[in-house]
Amino acid sequence: VFRFTIDFMNVELQQYAIVAALITSGICTIINILKVPIPLTKKLFGRQLYIGSGLLSVMGTSFTFLPIFEIAIQQMKADGIDGTVAYGKMLGTSALCALLEVVFSVIPGRIIQMIFPPVVCAITVTLIGIALTGTGMKYWGGGVVCAEMIWKEHGQVVDYVGDPVNPIPSATCQNGSVLLPYGSAEFIGLGFSVLVF
């Protein structure tokens, strides 16, 4: 989102966003593992409610919101709103929407199962998996950027770097010190080893 939608050249803003996401993931992981009881919930709801699951599970960021973020931020920028302000508005919207999950968390399980029956949940999870298959295959071959080199023609990239976009790499993927073409046997073999072992 930062690179293409908000400010392609602002490295400090990109670094800040990455660090903020990592710190937030760490704090949320600690809270989730602790399973802190919420006071007075036994009297209000007839059962004890907790913050966190008490299970050892690592919380992390998700990328599923990125297409929506990009479209919304681009629309706001077209309307004359600064990219960082548009990004802030999207973060505020996400924080507000998170309250819906808080409401769902206090609803008894039997009511949740009536609203979201197993068939609906199964189909939704299956469709998410199917949708992520393409992305997984791109990463398996060496990375999404290498797989989708059309991003070199992205309007904002051309505006900042110039046309033709020569400094941006071609379909050769650089992962650390490894420089291999997209879909090379090394990437495919590494993917298979993760899948098997």
Side-chain angles (χ1 to χ4, degrees):
V1 173
F2 271 95
R3 290 189 76 182
F4 296 129
T5 309
I6 296 174
D7 193 348
F8 184 76
M9 300 301 283
N10 194 337
V11 177
E12 288 182 10
L13 198 58
Q14 293 176 32
Q15 291 172 343
Y16 173 80
I18 292 168
V19 170
L22 291 173
I23 290 171
T24 303
S25 297
I27 292 170
C28 289
T29 298
I30 292 168
I31 292 171
N32 190 43
I33 291 170
L34 289 179
K35 192 178 181 180
V36 180
I38 303 171
L40 304 175
T41 53
K42 191 150 183 118
K43 290 181 183 177
L44 293 172
F45 299 102
R47 61 194 167 101
Q48 182 64 54
L49 298 177
Y50 300 90
I51 296 176
S53 65
L55 301 173
L56 182 59
S57 57
V58 178
M59 307 296 285
T61 58
S62 173
F63 59 87
T64 54
F65 62 89
L66 289 179
I68 298 167
F69 258 47
E70 281 205 28
I71 292 168
I73 291 172
Q74 286 173 359
Q75 182 62 47
M76 284 190 261
K77 285 180 72 175
D79 293 341
I81 298 172
D82 181 60
T84 53
V85 174
Y87 182 72
K89 288 184 177 195
M90 291 306 297
L91 285 181
T93 303
S94 298
L96 188 62
C97 291
L99 295 177
L100 180 64
E101 295 183 29
V102 173
V103 170
F104 279 146
S105 70
V106 297
I107 297 174
R110 57 184 173 77
I111 296 175
I112 292 286
Q113 285 185 343
M114 288 169 47
I115 298 170
F116 303 107
V119 172
V120 172
C121 295
I123 291 171
T124 304
V125 170
T126 302
L127 290 176
I128 291 171
I130 291 169
L132 292 176
T133 301
T135 304
M137 295 308 291
K138 291 172 189 172
Y139 275 112
W140 200 336
V144 172
V145 173
C146 295
E148 298 179 352
M149 291 317 295
I150 192 70
W151 72 277
K152 289 170 60 173
E153 299 167 15
H154 193 286
Q156 290 176 343
V157 174
V158 172
D159 289 345
Y160 282 111
V161 183
D163 192 14
V165 187
N166 291 326
I168 296 174
S170 63
T172 302
C173 309
Q174 182 170 2
N175 294 300
S177 60
V178 177
L179 190 64
L180 295 168
Y182 179 78
S184 66
E186 290 86 349
F187 288 138
I188 302 299
L190 182 63
F192 269 118
S193 70
V194 171
L195 183 67
V196 173
F197 302 110

